[in-house]
Amino acid sequence: MRGGRPTIETGSGPLAGLRVLDFGQYVAGPLTAVLLADQGADVIHVDPPGGPRWAGVADAFFNRGKRRVILDLKQPEDLAAARRLAAEADVVIENFRPGVLERLGLDLDAARRASPALITCSLPGFGAGDPRAGMRGYEGVIAAATANCTPRNGEEPPGWDWERPTYSALPFASSFAGYLAALSIVMALIARRRTGRGQHVEVPLFDAMFTLVGHSGTYAGDLGPHPSSPIHGRGAGAFRCQDGRYVQFDTSSPRHLTWFARAAGLLGRFDAELLDLTGNARPEVNERLHARLREEFATRTAAEWEEIGNAAGAAIGFIRTPAEWIATSHARRSHAVARVSDPELGDIWCAGVPVGLSDFPEPRVRPRRPPGADTAAVLAELAGATPSAGSAGPAGPDGAGPGCSVGAEPDRGQPLRGIRVLDLGLALAGPTCGRILAEFGADVVKVASPGHGVAGYLNRGKESLLLDLRGAGGQEVYWRLVDHADVVLENFSPGTADRLGIGYQEVRARRPEAVYTTISCYGLGGPWEGWRGWERQGQAVTGIMERTELPSVLGPYNIVDIGTGILGAFATALALYHRQSTGRGQRASASLAQTATYHQAAFMFDFPGYRPGEARGYHALGAGRLQRYYRAADRWFFLAAAPADIPALAAVTGLGEDAVADEEALEAAFAAASAEDLVARLTSAGIAAHLVTGLAELMTDPVARARELSVTQEVPGAGACTMPGVSPRLSDTPARPGHPPHRPGQDAREILASVGLEGRLDALERAWVIRATDLPAAWP
């Protein structure tokens, strides 16, 4: 809490006592502020006269839990109030284009100079150093610019034209920017506890997409990104059931097919070759297996198959609508959805909280206030407040707080400098969380099974140990590592850590100051807590997959896995921030189902009369004639015009303003010119537009390379390897990519020495506890 501030009632959570000033509109800024409000921060949201730019039902989510004021920054008195509110805040959030807020009279750099403990956060479409900075960053523009407008290979409609883009109403660029911004703000708060200084955070929507691109954008040499492979091996995929509904069956772990076959009574009825985990890897056998499974799934309802499969331990998700997901007891008991009493809509269900903290087991989700409802009270409070002296807030056991000099040169040590993370993550979500923590400065020790070392981009910035945790020898090493760890991160199948005796309860008893981060498919609490799943189940059960209308996996990237990795890091950062005040660790959690719910927050509602109307299906090109993909003479581009742009659009196309209202006339006009020429003329006229960019083009884009969003590292044994860089930009304590990926297991000797086990490596290797020779390649 900043100096001289009156005490007010806010939510409970690790951020209680912090004040956030939210100038955000549409999605990215308000979403960042909601993530902080739901963790206890006192958020004051500022709307312009006339209310929010995205009014309607979505406002019930994006501005919930906030006090709301209306200020006209073009009026001197309101501008002065905005400046005073910024001076009294801990965090200021905005998502205008670079320079717009300053032109309105609110200079965030000047605000930080006046209040050195202030943290400011900007979420423009394109960053201040990007030549497209002046362009409005509509979702379709960012999707076109980042190759996020194609189906996944193998999930496309029959006869799909791969030159044709597809439009999704889900605002992934804004969502990922919001997640990364909230994470970065908490990291800046952690750093502020040490230094007493605030700083500036920038997370452009375009930049945020590189975190989502993730491993899809990695490659060695000059080969370019490898085309994704269909994900239908060993019988996996979507199957139509007796009731006409679908389930998504996942055999990413081949034994799930065996477990399912036993529970479904397929043993002895299916040809043995179809269930042989070596034989059914062959395409011709897999095709026959799919045919038999299609027959089998047609004999029961989707809900029955979901219960049968999950009871057996297999990963099967009933492909639900969002409303059906909201209605499940699991969504409600796991806090993936929440019920609030909205002042306009009455009692509604909406997206809940995407992370969990054991010290705050019942998160309080507060409804929105009407626009401007708190203007008078906030201004009166401001008039009675003592001007802030720029305090950094209370110091905790791990931080120096306001005793630090705020006039000295910034301490550029990364936020998690000195924090040691034990990363037991598997697959994608867990290792992504560990990699992000390493980017913020943590010392991450990646522990994997001797036969399943994580390699490549996911291992960047980590030390690596291949350790068998099943026996006493492996657990001796594990507990030594835990004794030196601040964070233990795992995403084992539910119950695995407990069965091995290395889970949360054991870690808490031995090292109560440690944060224990759990990532799962369905989250903690609720009847499905023990169910297994991956990206496909996260999409299926929450309604994302149903949006494709096939149904199938949505998007070319792992939207749920990678989003959960970010939110797992957010939960971990919240727990570490709370530990700075209490000296106490706790359990932090994130899940694929909660992330998938949050991805759909703009449309994730249930109340009498609600009828979602967003664009759906892979054949959708946009939200309307002014916001959609068009085919030019040579390639596709995205047009993002506002109604006020119609005269300029008419001039560019040579059509009259009445003709611009005719979508077919626009299609014909655009088809007569090259896309590059059209985009140049449109942007020169102040209309947002962008060419549809391929992934290989994106990773070699000069702007992306200059901004280090695409980086190349020398990886031992693989040479020059290209991969996404780091999306968030922190002015004083920057996130960095970290060292190139190591070979899995190559750091065994150094890791053992760091926990007092010098000289034990040879014996542990002879006992098959550790693998330190004949190691996998650093780059797969």
Side-chain angles (χ1 to χ4, degrees):
M1 182 182 295
R2 299 288 293 281
R5 178 182 309 159
T7 300
I8 61 167
E9 181 181 354
T10 63
S12 64
L15 302 184
L18 290 172
R19 176 171 288 181
V20 177
L21 185 59
D22 170 23
F23 287 100
Q25 294 293 322
Y26 299 107
V27 177
L31 176 63
T32 304
V34 164
L35 284 162
L36 303 180
D38 285 347
Q39 298 301 325
D42 170 27
V43 178
I44 298 175
H45 176 76
V46 180
D47 277 317
R53 291 291 182 255
W54 191 4
V57 174
D59 186 68
F61 170 80
F62 287 114
N63 283 311
R64 74 180 186 200
K66 306 175 184 179
R67 297 194 286 167
R68 300 183 72 172
V69 303
I70 289 178
L71 296 176
D72 185 351
L73 299 186
K74 296 178 182 179
Q75 300 301 316
E77 288 187 1
D78 284 5
L79 178 59
R83 289 172 174 165
R84 182 74 185 279
L85 284 170
E88 292 295 317
D90 295 282
V91 178
V92 176
I93 298 168
E94 62 91 13
N95 62 320
F96 296 100
R97 284 168 288 161
V100 169
L101 195 60
E102 184 177 356
R103 289 196 294 274
L104 290 171
L106 190 57
D107 185 338
L108 295 186
D109 290 339
R112 286 196 315 282
R113 287 193 295 272
S115 301
L118 177 64
I119 295 166
T120 57
C121 179
S122 298
L123 299 97
F126 296 95
D130 192 306
R132 297 161 292 190
M135 186 187 300
R136 294 184 180 92
Y138 291 102
E139 284 292 327
V141 167
I142 306 298
T146 56
N148 191 34
C149 51
T150 62
R152 184 170 303 206
N153 190 10
E155 302 291 312
E156 72 279 2
W160 182 256
D161 175 6
W162 283 98
E163 289 190 2
R164 186 187 194 279
T166 181
Y167 173 84
S168 173
L170 299 185
F172 289 121
S174 291
S175 294
F176 275 80
Y179 304 160
L180 288 165
L183 166 64
S184 299
I185 288 168
V186 178
M187 291 295 184
L189 288 167
I190 289 172
R192 190 176 78 167
R193 279 265 175 81
R194 183 180 73 240
T195 68
R197 295 182 63 93
Q199 58 183 302
H200 183 60
V201 173
E202 186 194 45
V203 189
L205 274 61
F206 175 76
D207 297 22
M209 286 298 294
F210 282 80
T211 298
L212 173 54
V213 169
H215 64 286
S216 299
T218 64
Y219 57 92
D222 57 1
L223 299 175
H226 192 277
S228 62
S229 300
I231 50 176
H232 298 148
R234 293 190 174 92
F239 292 92
R240 194 172 192 271
C241 301
Q242 187 182 60
D243 54 354
R245 303 298 298 279
Y246 287 78
V247 292
Q248 179 65 230
F249 180 36
D250 198 329
T251 59
S252 295
S253 178
R255 60 184 177 169
H256 286 211
L257 176 61
T258 302
W259 296 342
F260 174 73
R262 185 188 305 133
L266 307 185
L267 302 178
R269 293 198 294 116
F270 276 29
D271 291 345
E273 184 182 37
L274 300 184
L275 301 178
D276 179 83
L277 299 183
T278 301
N280 62 24
R282 301 199 306 272
E284 66 276 12
V285 179
N286 184 42
E287 189 174 331
R288 289 170 46 217
L289 174 59
H290 270 86
R292 290 290 282 118
L293 285 173
R294 282 193 293 271
E295 296 173 358
E296 192 66 27
F297 278 110
T299 64
R300 297 177 187 263
T301 66
E304 288 174 320
W305 281 122
E306 182 180 56
E307 288 290 340
I308 290 169
N310 283 286
I316 297 183
F318 175 9
I319 297 176
R320 290 173 170 81
T321 66
E324 290 171 333
W325 163 242
I326 289 173
T328 65
S329 63
H330 183 82
R332 296 178 179 191
R333 288 170 56 186
S334 66
H335 304 294
V337 299
R339 187 178 184 178
V340 297
S341 184
D342 185 79
E344 180 181 338
L345 304 171
D347 286 346
I348 67 171
W349 285 94
C350 60
V353 292
V355 299
L357 295 170
S358 60
D359 276 13
F360 306 95
E362 296 295 330
R364 181 186 171 204
V365 175
R366 295 164 290 156
R368 67 171 165 170
R369 302 270 292 158
D374 302 293
T375 303
V378 168
L379 293 181
E381 180 184 297
L382 190 64
T386 302
S388 170
S391 165
D398 299 337
C404 297
S405 170
V406 295
E409 279 297 307
D411 174 358
R412 294 191 176 273
Q414 292 182 275
L416 298 186
R417 181 181 67 187
I419 296 294
R420 185 153 181 156
V421 176
L422 182 56
D423 176 2
L424 308 172
L426 305 170
L428 189 52
T432 295
C433 177
R435 193 204 75 242
I436 290 171
L437 296 176
E439 290 168 354
F440 281 99
D443 297 320
V444 179
V445 174
K446 179 73 189 76
V447 174
S449 165
H452 301 90
V454 174
Y457 164 70
L458 291 172
N459 228 20
R460 186 177 70 189
K462 305 176 185 179
E463 311 305 307
S464 180
L465 175 67
L466 297 181
L467 176 68
D468 188 344
L469 292 169
R470 294 173 296 178
Q475 292 198 11
E476 178 193 5
V477 176
Y478 171 78
W479 287 115
R480 286 291 190 97
L481 293 168
V482 169
D483 288 342
H484 290 77
D486 298 283
V487 176
V488 177
L489 162 66
E490 58 91 357
N491 65 326
F492 295 132
S493 294
T496 298
D498 292 338
R499 286 194 299 273
L500 291 173
I502 60 172
Y504 169 58
Q505 296 297 339
E506 290 80 11
V507 170
R508 182 186 182 189
R510 180 164 178 143
R511 189 163 169 78
E513 65 270 35
V515 172
Y516 188 97
T517 301
T518 300
I519 293 176
S520 62
C521 183
Y522 293 100
L524 305 180
W528 304 350
E529 179 178 325
W531 288 9
R532 295 175 170 89
W534 287 277
E535 171 86 19
R536 285 180 279 193
Q537 281 65 49
Q539 288 200 25
V541 302
T542 59
I544 288 182
M545 202 170 280
E546 184 263 347
R547 294 176 177 279
T548 69
E549 296 186 342
L550 291 178
S552 65
V553 176
L554 177 65
Y557 308 130
N558 286 64
I559 54 176
V560 176
D561 276 326
I562 296 174
T564 304
I566 300 169
L567 289 169
F570 176 59
T572 304
L574 288 168
L576 288 170
Y577 179 71
H578 191 243
R579 190 180 78 161
Q580 287 182 314
S581 296
T582 66
R584 186 176 65 242
Q586 61 182 302
R587 188 175 198 171
S589 64
S591 75
L592 307 184
Q594 288 168 288
T595 299
T597 304
Y598 232 65
H599 283 341
Q600 303 172 85
F603 312 106
M604 182 65 72
F605 295 98
D606 189 37
F607 57 86
Y610 177 62
R611 295 290 182 271
E614 67 272 17
R616 305 169 64 83
Y618 270 134
H619 290 282
L621 288 172
R625 77 183 194 286
L626 297 181
Q627 292 272 342
R628 59 156 282 192
Y629 292 99
Y630 283 96
R631 182 74 163 85
D634 53 349
R635 61 190 289 187
W636 290 83
F637 73 98
F638 192 86
L639 170 71
D645 295 327
I646 286 177
L649 182 60
V652 170
T653 59
L655 301 171
E657 291 188 25
D658 291 339
V660 168
D662 183 346
E663 199 161 9
E664 291 185 358
L666 281 174
E667 288 178 341
F670 290 142
S674 75
E676 192 168 345
D677 176 62
L678 282 168
V679 168
R681 286 192 283 135
L682 288 164
T683 55
S684 294
I687 302 171
H690 207 286
L691 298 173
V692 171
T693 303
L695 182 56
E697 187 180 358
L698 175 67
M699 294 305 296
T700 57
D701 175 64
V703 174
R705 298 290 293 177
R707 291 177 63 78
E708 297 185 329
L709 298 168
S710 172
V711 299
T712 299
Q713 295 184 329
E714 286 292 325
V715 178
C721 295
T722 298
M723 64 199 83
V726 175
S727 299
R729 294 171 180 270
L730 283 70
S731 61
D732 287 10
T733 60
R736 300 187 181 99
H739 61 67
H742 288 178
R743 296 181 71 180
Q746 83 167 57
D747 305 297
R749 193 173 303 277
E750 294 80 5
I751 291 170
L752 292 177
S754 73
V755 296
L757 293 174
E758 300 92 338
R760 294 283 303 279
L761 177 59
D762 293 343
L764 289 167
E765 190 170 17
R766 285 195 301 271
W768 301 94
V769 171
I770 285 177
R771 180 181 174 188
T773 55
D774 190 25
L775 297 174
W779 194 265

